[in-house]
Amino acid sequence: GAVVSQHPSRVICKSGTSVKIECRSLDFQATTMFWYRQFPKQSLMLMATSNEGSKATYEQGVEKDKFLINHASLTLSTLTVTSAHPEDSSFYICSARGLTTDEQFFGPGTRLTVL
Amino acid sequence: AQSVTQPDIHITVSEGASLELRCNYSYGATPYLFWYVQSPGQGLQLLLKYFSGDTLVQGIKGFEAEFKRSQSSFNLRKPSVHWSDAAEYFCAVGRDSWGKLQFGAGTQVVVTP
């Protein structure tokens, strides 16, 4: 099946710094990528949808200036958490949907801890 | 408003016993329904999906789910669980066939010997 990777798998940063998370589709071209946030023992909450070459669409309540999403190629989307604060600590998951495969494939997630 | 409810946060089941995970949804139109499994260190994996047609859906790993429109439910079942089925299970509703997904809170399944 199609594989989606995320890097890094874990990151710890200081409050006020920015962190970039990469999401790659390894063996297919992803026209659409989704970013989710998952709090401990809770569900995945959709943050934004990104289509290659266009601006991301953010869900209500998600700060677009804090969570910058770039989908510059058909295999890579990045999420940058700007000026991170402890409340941004969470598990961030991406998923990708391809040109030839309608199914949405999920990455393994990135654990962000902001000190 | 669209919502997905998984009433059971945690279920413990003996290996070899049957398993049923509940999912109820609230959605105005005909829903697209999914079940995913999440294991530590791995991405969510699609177990099965329902778009239309036969209301009993067969999935991978021996799982099946039944769509019941009258009860707004899409419960997941497995006749005989294996220790490897221990994981977090999520029900999800899609706004279209493969677009934005709304997830339930998840059910943690523990399998005992």
Side-chain angles (χ1 to χ4, degrees):
Chain A
V3 179
V4 175
S5 70
Q6 282 186 241
H7 179 79
S9 57
R10 290 178 176 270
V11 57
I12 300 172
C13 69
K14 292 182 178 180
S15 185
T17 61
S18 294
V19 174
K20 180 182 286 188
I21 301 170
E22 292 186 348
C23 176
R24 292 182 185 273
S25 55
L26 298 184
D27 49 5
F28 67 102
Q29 293 184 319
T31 51
T32 305
M33 287 186 169
F34 303 88
W35 286 94
Y36 297 85
R37 184 172 178 178
Q38 185 180 26
F39 291 100
K41 309 281 186 195
Q42 294 187 31
S43 183
L44 286 76
M45 300 298 294
L46 179 65
M47 298 174 65
T49 304
S50 74
N51 293 295
E52 186 266 338
S54 61
K55 289 185 178 180
T57 303
Y58 291 82
E59 294 299 300
Q60 191 172 7
V62 177
E63 299 175 63
K64 58 182 68 175
D65 293 331
K66 164 163 275 296
F67 299 100
L68 301 178
I69 293 171
N70 183 278
H71 191 167
S73 78
L74 284 172
T75 60
L76 173 66
S77 176
T78 60
L79 167 68
T80 301
V81 183
T82 62
S83 187
H85 291 283
E87 58 265 29
D88 299 324
S89 297
S90 191
F91 195 54
Y92 293 89
I93 300 172
C94 74
S95 69
R97 188 175 71 171
L99 277 169
T100 57
T101 58
D102 287 338
E103 183 173 342
Q104 201 172 135
F105 298 94
F106 286 79
T110 297
R111 173 78 57 195
L112 170 63
T113 302
V114 185
L115 303 176
Chain B
Q2 188 176 341
S3 67
V4 184
T5 303
Q6 291 181 248
D8 304 305
I9 297 172
H10 186 274
I11 285 181
T12 299
V13 59
S14 299
E15 191 168 14
S18 63
L19 173 69
E20 181 168 16
L21 303 182
R22 294 182 291 166
C23 175
N24 294 96
Y25 65 89
S26 172
Y27 193 59
T30 300
Y32 297 93
L33 297 163
F34 307 82
W35 274 100
Y36 287 89
V37 60
Q38 184 182 36
S39 300
Q42 299 182 30
L44 272 76
Q45 182 180 23
L46 179 67
L47 290 174
L48 46 79
K49 61 186 184 287
Y50 173 78
F51 292 168
S52 64
D54 193 345
T55 57
L56 185 62
V57 181
Q58 300 297 321
I60 63 171
K61 303 186 178 187
F63 285 93
E64 66 177 25
E66 186 171 12
F67 170 60
K68 292 185 177 180
R69 184 185 300 276
S70 62
Q71 298 177 20
S72 297
S73 69
F74 188 56
N75 294 348
L76 181 72
R77 299 192 292 256
K78 185 168 183 176
S80 176
V81 297
H82 186 262
W83 63 266
S84 60
D85 294 323
E88 185 92 21
Y89 292 80
F90 291 94
C91 179
V93 172
R95 300 181 194 177
D96 55 39
S97 59
W98 291 111
K100 298 180 182 181
L101 298 175
Q102 182 162 351
F103 286 84
T107 299
Q108 181 72 47
V109 173
V110 173
V111 180
T112 59

